[in-house]
Amino acid sequence: MNNKVLKITYLRRKSMKKAMVLAMVLAMAVFFGCAGVEETGSVSKAAVSGTGDSIVLFNFESKTTDGWEGKGKWAEALSVNTDPKFVKEGGASLKINAKGSKGWNQDIATFSGPFAEGFGKLKAITMDVYVPKESVKGLEYSQIFLVISGSANSWYQVPQGLKEGWNSLKYELDSDNIDGDLWHMYFVFNSGGAFAGPVYIDNVKGIM
């Protein structure tokens, strides 16, 4: 009888030990499983935030031209617009009175700094441009060349065509041509015929 009791007690203890070990294994699985999910989530979030970063270069929300100016006969061509019809984001845009501009015009809009930190590493510059129908009526073509002048390249130009209405322009850049000291930046107007009115520029951003 005593041997029977001892055997039952032994079996009960053995069963309890198995249950405790199983509980510990399950607890560890849950703990490390949660930790793994949390870690994966944080890595994924970092990867998303590290792609396609952009910096605002010019948005004209200061109600100034943000340093842009015309040269020579175009000295009065630039002003700030607050009519929401010609604003893409915020409350202001850059108005460029291009009336009479014909062919190549690199004096209509120039910027001489200071340039944003990291500008020389940009992969692209984007901007929204509004072209009233009346401004380009009768033109064979109309373009805005983005030109960057600096120690890496004294005249690095990238063209984009214009159409009436809103234009979402993207200028792809080779950073080797804009690294180093930066001197000037231009919005060069080029057209087959004379512009008859203004063009509006807003939301100029750099893409890293």
Side-chain angles (χ1 to χ4, degrees):
M1 185 70 176
N2 288 339
N3 288 338
K4 203 169 187 179
V5 171
L6 287 171
K7 189 174 182 181
I8 292 172
T9 303
Y10 171 77
L11 290 172
R12 283 180 179 173
R13 286 180 179 173
K14 189 174 182 182
S15 178
M16 287 176 66
K17 283 183 179 180
K18 284 184 178 180
M20 288 176 66
V21 169
L22 181 60
M24 288 175 66
V25 169
L26 288 172
M28 290 174 68
V30 170
F31 174 80
F32 287 110
C34 291
V37 171
E38 186 177 352
E39 185 178 358
T40 302
S42 63
V43 170
S44 176
K45 187 175 181 181
V48 170
S49 65
T51 59
D53 289 342
S54 64
I55 56 174
V56 176
L57 299 176
F58 313 101
N59 59 15
F60 315 105
E61 294 303 305
S62 63
K63 302 300 186 291
T64 72
T65 63
D66 285 353
W68 285 90
E69 59 183 353
K71 300 292 186 182
K73 65 176 289 187
W74 302 100
E76 304 299 323
L78 275 58
S79 61
V80 177
N81 163 73
T82 56
D83 184 339
K85 180 180 178 181
F86 309 119
V87 174
K88 192 66 171 181
E89 287 188 15
S93 62
L94 179 67
K95 178 181 179 180
I96 302 178
N97 185 3
K99 186 176 181 179
S101 178
K102 182 179 180 180
W104 184 267
N105 186 351
Q106 66 191 52
D107 294 327
I108 197 167
T110 67
F111 177 77
S112 300
F115 287 83
E117 184 178 353
F119 188 97
K121 304 300 180 185
L122 295 180
K123 301 301 181 186
I125 289 177
T126 62
M127 62 185 187
D128 296 306
V129 180
Y130 187 83
V131 181
K133 181 179 180 179
E134 301 77 18
S135 295
V136 290
K137 187 176 181 180
L139 296 186
E140 288 182 48
Y141 60 88
S142 56
Q143 300 170 299
I144 295 180
F145 279 69
L146 175 69
V147 177
I148 300 168
S149 174
S151 58
N153 189 332
S154 61
W155 192 264
Y156 177 56
Q157 64 182 39
V158 185
Q160 284 290 348
L162 297 176
K163 66 182 189 309
E164 63 183 64
W166 279 109
N167 298 255
S168 295
L169 304 184
K170 184 175 184 179
Y171 297 87
E172 301 283 354
L173 303 176
D174 177 359
S175 56
D176 288 343
N177 283 291
I178 60 173
D179 202 8
D181 293 335
L182 297 165
W183 305 332
H184 306 287
M185 183 173 169
Y186 305 81
F187 293 146
V188 177
F189 279 44
N190 188 40
S191 60
F195 279 88
V199 170
Y200 301 85
I201 295 177
D202 196 12
N203 197 30
V204 184
K205 293 182 178 180
I207 309 300
M208 303 300 284

